[in-house]
Structure formats: C-alpha cells, structure tokens
Amino acid sequence: TLLGRMPQDPDAIKRTLFIGNLSIKSITDRDAHNELRALCKEYGVIKAIRFRSIAFAELLPRKLAFIRGKFHSDRQVCNAYVEYTEEESAKKALELNGTEFQDKHIRVDLANNDKEHDMKKSVFVGNLDFAAEEEDLWRHFGTCGTVSNVRIIRDSKTNLGKGFAYVQFSDRASVSLALKLNGTEVNSRKLRVQRASEQVPKGKKAVDAKAGSVTSVLEGTRSVKGDKPSNKKRRTARSRNFAENRLNTANSARASAKAPAAGAQRGRGKPRKRV
C-alpha cells in the first residue's frame, strides 16, 4: 500500500484501475483495507494499491502527514489506483463502477481511459458546500436515474471542493429529471443545476472544448481548462480559506484546552504583595 500517483510506465498504466469515492477507512482501518484488497483480488493478482486525493489536517509534507495519519476530518473519502499484474484483470473489474462499497458508491474506470464522455448525459452542479462529498450527490441525484459518475472539482493543495461538480448518468433522459433539482438543497445550500454541455467554453475549436474542458474534469483532472482565470482563482481562494479556517478552528480548540492547565500552574506561584 502506497501514497502516490498513477504509474508512469505505459504497460503498467494499461493494467491499472482507478477507484474514486473510497472511504478513508480503506487507509486508516486494517479491516476496511483488507475488504478493499479482497474486492479487487476477485478479478486478478494485485501488484500494488496507491492512494491519492487525500486531505490532511496539518500543513506537513504529504508523505509525512500520511505516515502520521493526519487526515482531515471534513474529507472522509479518497481515490486509489489498483495495479494488477494482467491488463485483463483491470478490464474485468470495471463492472464494479457504481456499486456500493463501505456505504459509498465507488467510481471505477481504467487509469488510461481516453474515451469521450457524452456531455448530453451530464449535468453541472454549482453552489456546493466546500465540504460536500461525492456520496451526497450520488444519493441526491440517484432519484433521477442511474448515476455513472460523480466528480467534485477539488483544490490541488487541500483536496477540499471548489464549490462545483459534474454528475453523469447512464441515460440521457435522466438529465431532464436532474434539471428539476435546480434550487434543491444539499448540506443547507441551494444547488445550481445546468446541462453540462452549457458549461463547455466556446473558445478556440469545438474539438478542444470537447476534449479539454468538461471531459477532462470527468476524467479526473483538477481544473477546468478554458475556464476564466479570474473565476478559477476566486474558487481556489475560497476553498483554501475554508480549509485554513477549519484548521485554525481546530488549533484554537486545542490551545484553549491547554489554557486552564497553564493558568493553574501560574496560580501555584507565590502570592503577590499588596501595594
């Protein structure tokens, strides 16, 4: 079990499976980790499992924070790359996409997936809480049809959300039903739901937009190509401020807990003389 990115060797990539929306327990709990390994082992021999997209509670080097188990309490999911010894094993495991594992719907795909996503089957979801999780959207939009993919766009530093996401269905008819959820609430915030195709930028060429914008987001990139730099900077700043505020609150709470003890020690000193 490793902390890291997708393998760089072309042959290794072909036999590597991507799993999204995994419970953080797959890392922190031995039994949960063994369940994940057993699930993937049904399709072939596993060479390695690498975890990524982890949010940490302290601003430490990622490997050090991983070793010390400093996981952020507001981010209860992560992603993983499962590398098999055979390419066919990864292809067989694709049937796990959308299944519920450890109370979460997992997103399963090939690590080298380069197929185009059908934007007509997807919706854009805005005004999300920065602490929202993929499972919130799986269950909220599950009433509209079979959800095949949920992707919350996250900050590359904090791994907390930027406030928007994409939900893809297996059927185009589900999009019309999903649009009716515009204005409904998730985590006390009213969602802004639009057709994903309306979010594709109109710059350059249609080919660039189709291959680079929303598709790249659904494939797993962390930013939306073609988005206005000013908008990206504002979302990133808000997301990081949210993470820093949560971290500062936790630090303040720990400092307050230590304060009474320090005050008690000061009170044990010699009494002050009256003037």
Side-chain angles (χ1 to χ4, degrees), residues 1-3 19 22-41 46-51 66 78-82 101-102:
T1 302
L2 305 169
L3 172 67
I19 304 180
L22 274 175
S23 170
I24 198 71
K25 290 182 180 180
S26 297
I27 301 175
T28 60
D29 184 84
R30 183 182 296 273
D31 291 337
H33 177 78
N34 290 337
E35 286 180 14
L36 172 63
R37 183 171 287 274
L39 178 69
C40 297
K41 196 174 181 180
I46 299 171
K47 183 176 181 180
I49 298 179
R50 299 175 175 86
F51 292 98
F66 182 83
C78 63
N79 300 330
Y81 286 109
V82 180
F101 177 68
Q102 295 177 352

Side-chain angles (χ1 to χ4, degrees), residues 31-77:
D31 291 337
H33 177 78
N34 290 337
E35 286 180 14
L36 172 63
R37 183 171 287 274
L39 178 69
C40 297
K41 196 174 181 180
E42 294 178 8
Y43 300 93
V45 179
I46 299 171
K47 183 176 181 180
I49 298 179
R50 299 175 175 86
F51 292 98
R52 62 168 301 181
S53 304
I54 304 168
F56 296 105
E58 296 184 11
L59 300 178
L60 299 171
R62 299 184 67 81
K63 288 185 178 180
L64 180 59
F66 182 83
I67 293 172
R68 293 184 177 179
K70 302 294 184 180
F71 304 108
H72 204 295
S73 60
D74 287 328
R75 173 80 162 131
Q76 295 299 312
V77 295

Side-chain angles (χ1 to χ4, degrees), residues 10-263:
D11 292 332
I13 293 175
K14 291 180 181 179
R15 58 177 187 264
T16 298
L17 191 73
F18 169 85
I19 304 180
N21 199 37
L22 274 175
S23 170
I24 198 71
K25 290 182 180 180
S26 297
I27 301 175
T28 60
D29 184 84
R30 183 182 296 273
D31 291 337
H33 177 78
N34 290 337
E35 286 180 14
L36 172 63
R37 183 171 287 274
L39 178 69
C40 297
K41 196 174 181 180
E42 294 178 8
Y43 300 93
V45 179
I46 299 171
K47 183 176 181 180
I49 298 179
R50 299 175 175 86
F51 292 98
R52 62 168 301 181
S53 304
I54 304 168
F56 296 105
E58 296 184 11
L59 300 178
L60 299 171
R62 299 184 67 81
K63 288 185 178 180
L64 180 59
F66 182 83
I67 293 172
R68 293 184 177 179
K70 302 294 184 180
F71 304 108
H72 204 295
S73 60
D74 287 328
R75 173 80 162 131
Q76 295 299 312
V77 295
C78 63
N79 300 330
Y81 286 109
V82 180
E83 182 183 349
Y84 288 97
T85 57
E86 300 291 337
E87 181 179 347
E88 192 62 27
S89 299
K91 292 180 178 179
K92 289 180 180 179
L94 290 175
E95 68 180 28
L96 291 173
N97 183 55
T99 58
E100 196 166 339
F101 177 68
Q102 295 177 352
D103 299 323
K104 296 185 183 298
H105 292 81
I106 55 176
R107 179 165 64 96
V108 180
D109 205 346
L110 294 175
N112 66 340
N113 181 18
D114 56 358
K115 66 180 180 181
E116 294 182 358
H117 287 262
D118 189 348
M119 294 301 101
K120 294 181 180 179
K121 293 182 180 179
S122 305
V123 293
F124 168 88
V125 183
N127 199 38
L128 272 178
D129 179 16
F130 291 137
E133 299 286 3
E134 280 82 353
E135 191 62 24
D136 297 330
L137 299 184
W138 273 98
R139 298 191 182 280
H140 191 73
F141 287 93
T143 59
C144 304
T146 302
V147 177
S148 60
N149 192 324
V150 174
R151 172 65 179 168
I152 294 179
I153 311 308
R154 299 185 177 279
D155 179 77
S156 60
K157 300 294 183 182
T158 65
N159 273 308
L160 293 177
K162 288 189 175 183
F164 68 103
Y166 292 89
V167 178
Q168 181 177 338
F169 298 94
S170 58
D171 194 313
R172 291 186 183 183
S174 301
V175 172
S176 298
L177 296 175
L179 294 175
K180 295 181 180 180
L181 295 181
N182 182 53
T184 56
E185 293 188 359
V186 170
N187 296 346
S188 302
R189 292 181 68 90
K190 291 186 177 181
L191 302 181
R192 179 163 55 89
V193 184
Q194 297 175 265
R195 295 183 184 275
S197 56
E198 295 175 0
Q199 294 296 316
V200 178
K202 298 180 180 180
K204 286 190 177 183
K205 302 177 182 179
V207 175
D208 293 339
K210 183 166 58 176
S213 178
V214 181
T215 300
S216 65
V217 170
L218 292 174
E219 291 291 355
T221 53
R222 296 181 183 278
S223 61
V224 183
K225 295 181 182 178
D227 196 7
K228 294 181 180 179
S230 58
N231 291 341
K232 289 165 66 176
K233 288 180 180 178
R234 282 197 294 270
R235 281 196 295 267
T236 299
R238 290 199 300 268
S239 178
R240 289 183 180 175
N241 287 338
F242 174 84
E244 289 174 1
N245 289 338
R246 288 295 179 92
L247 184 58
N248 291 337
T249 300
N251 291 338
S252 297
R254 286 195 292 267
S256 298
K258 295 178 181 179

